[in-house]
Amino acid sequence: MATHAINIRHIAAFAATVRHGSVTRAARAVNLTQPALTQAIARLEADLGCALFERGPAGMTPTEPALLLAPRAEAAIAQVGSPRVTGTQVRAFLALARAGSYAVAAEATGLSSASLHRAVADLSVALGQRLVDRRGRSVALTPAGERRARGFGLAMAELRSGLAEVAAWQGKAAGRLVVGAMPLSRARWLPETILRFAARHPGVDVAVVEGSHAELSGPLRDGEVDLMLGALRTIGGREASSLDDLAQEAVFEDSPALVMRAGHPLLAGATDGAALARFPWILPASDTPLRHYWEGMMRAAGVEPPHVGIECGSVLTVRQLLLGSDALTLLSPAQLAVELQAGVLATLPPPVPVMRTIGITTREGWRPTAPQAAFVALLREVAAEGFA
């Protein structure tokens, strides 16, 4: 059963029945008639292909798949935040929030623009909040709209996990893992983990979304990405305050090196601060850990960090720029292993040792499914074996 087919009111009826153990009490809790609640549960059971309750004189006893789904259902309902919201409205609003325009959202969902307009307008009325502002042909979320979009995204993530757990209980190959990958993780760590995971869990799909921390942290918070890999955001040993809703796990330490083209003048000379400052630098943006480490390295070497004329986070682009100039960068040798082995690029140790912590970032309170937990365990295993 796909999440796009989920009826949120059916989920609410199911969760209330698990909670109360009685159709009568559950119907009262969600403001439905008993026949309507019974019909909602029957429809959900038909969609899932399994019984969720054992009916008897003592009431409604949840089955094993119901106990798997119930915590996810409760979490999803809490994130939706209103019993008046429908699944159609949630799907329409999330599509609009991600697309930024009704036309693009309509194309992505296959719905008409009129249907999207109507669903979002009905949602706004049901919640009593203005969710979007029109800006020409595009739309922007209001602060209330941003909060609702995040909540709805997390609700859908919980339901996806719940459905995957029920499918696994049924013996069906199911599930999908979405990994946000920052540059360093894409060199060896993540590919080796995916290879092992695919061999052990052939029915679970893996999607990799590449980007910087800034590009991936929003989708992670919104439930579109399950976990994020790369340099942890620690500043001076203290976790940044902007990460209060994210959990970081250190997995291994990386030692970046000075990287340059083969035959670079620096290879035959000194590597003190003054020498490094004479060459142009190619580095990631100023808010990245590697940039902070470079600035600290230059100051420890006795010079102020020089102006960075080219900011770039793409290893492929940096490689080409290094090959065609005397520019320097600071990167993990693992990210350029092929070029270093071929002898077209070279490394030198930095004048001051640089270390950065690489790890796994998830949402605070994230409850992984069994395959997701297995993937995280493999990430630790692969790193411990030196594939980093």
Side-chain angles (χ1 to χ4, degrees):
M1 181 182 182
T3 49
H4 67 263
I6 282 281
N7 185 308
I8 290 176
R9 288 174 179 169
H10 291 176
I11 291 291
F14 156 74
T17 306
V18 173
R19 194 184 322 124
H20 294 284
S22 158
V23 169
T24 303
R25 291 193 294 272
R28 191 179 304 121
V30 294
N31 197 30
L32 286 175
T33 65
Q34 291 186 39
L37 183 134
T38 301
Q39 185 179 26
I41 292 173
R43 180 64 180 273
L44 185 57
E45 288 177 323
D47 289 340
L48 291 173
C50 64
L52 295 173
F53 297 96
E54 294 177 0
R55 281 80 167 169
M60 303 281 280
T61 303
T63 61
E64 189 173 346
L67 294 176
L68 290 171
L69 182 58
R72 304 288 187 181
E74 292 282 10
I77 293 164
Q79 291 290 354
V80 170
S82 171
R84 296 185 295 275
V85 174
T86 70
T88 299
Q89 292 167 353
V90 167
R91 291 188 291 276
F93 183 62
L94 283 176
L96 179 62
R98 291 163 183 163
S101 81
Y102 284 100
V104 177
E107 185 176 348
T109 60
L111 299 173
S112 67
S113 292
S115 296
L116 282 167
H117 272 282
R118 183 165 56 254
V120 173
D122 290 346
L123 176 63
S124 184
V125 171
L127 296 174
Q129 295 176 315
R130 193 178 82 259
L131 302 175
V132 297
D133 286 326
R134 292 299 299 265
R135 294 183 179 177
R137 295 183 179 179
S138 63
V139 298
L141 299 184
T142 65
E146 291 178 354
R147 290 192 296 272
R148 291 293 182 178
R150 176 151 295 169
F152 293 167
L154 293 174
M156 293 298 103
E158 288 287 357
L159 291 178
R160 283 194 298 272
S161 294
L163 295 178
E165 288 171 333
V166 171
W169 176 86
Q170 293 171 308
K172 299 176 182 177
R176 185 169 186 262
L177 178 67
V178 183
V179 183
M182 289 183 275
L184 177 60
S185 68
R186 305 197 291 263
R188 299 178 66 202
W189 184 32
L190 178 58
E192 179 63 24
T193 300
I194 291 175
L195 287 172
R196 298 188 191 186
F197 182 80
R200 301 179 194 182
H201 303 270
V204 181
D205 297 333
V206 179
V208 177
V209 181
E210 299 182 357
S212 65
H213 187 279
E215 292 166 334
L216 295 171
S217 56
L220 176 65
R221 288 182 166 99
D222 292 344
E224 298 172 32
V225 167
D226 296 311
L227 66 156
M228 181 168 63
L229 308 178
L232 300 185
R233 262 36 186 183
T234 53
I235 300 175
R238 293 178 292 108
E239 197 171 288
S241 60
S242 62
L243 302 179
D244 288 345
D245 58 341
L246 299 179
Q248 298 189 122
E249 176 190 343
V251 178
F252 63 92
E253 296 293 322
D254 175 59
S255 301
L258 303 177
V259 185
M260 64 214 73
R261 65 173 176 82
H264 192 284
L266 194 65
L267 293 168
T271 57
D272 56 22
L276 295 179
R278 286 197 293 268
F279 294 98
W281 283 85
I282 305 168
L283 291 163
S286 59
D287 61 346
T288 59
L290 191 61
R291 183 70 169 267
H292 294 311
Y293 296 142
W294 171 78
E295 291 169 352
M297 177 195 76
M298 296 300 289
R299 291 190 177 103
V303 296
E304 273 300 301
H307 173 71
V308 176
I310 301 176
E311 288 189 349
C312 181
S314 165
V315 175
L316 289 176
T317 303
V318 170
R319 178 194 66 185
Q320 291 303 115
L321 293 171
L322 293 177
L323 291 173
S325 71
D326 283 339
L328 305 173
T329 194
L330 191 65
L331 275 177
S332 169
Q335 293 177 271
L336 294 164
V338 173
E339 291 79 7
L340 293 172
Q341 290 170 4
V344 296
L345 292 179
T347 64
L348 285 173
V352 178
V354 176
M355 299 292 290
R356 56 177 173 170
T357 303
I358 309 301
I360 305 165
T361 303
T362 59
R363 294 182 294 278
E364 192 69 55
W366 180 55
R367 296 175 301 154
T369 63
Q372 290 168 345
F375 190 87
V376 172
L378 275 174
L379 284 167
R380 300 185 189 113
E381 176 186 300
V382 169
E385 294 176 10
F387 287 89

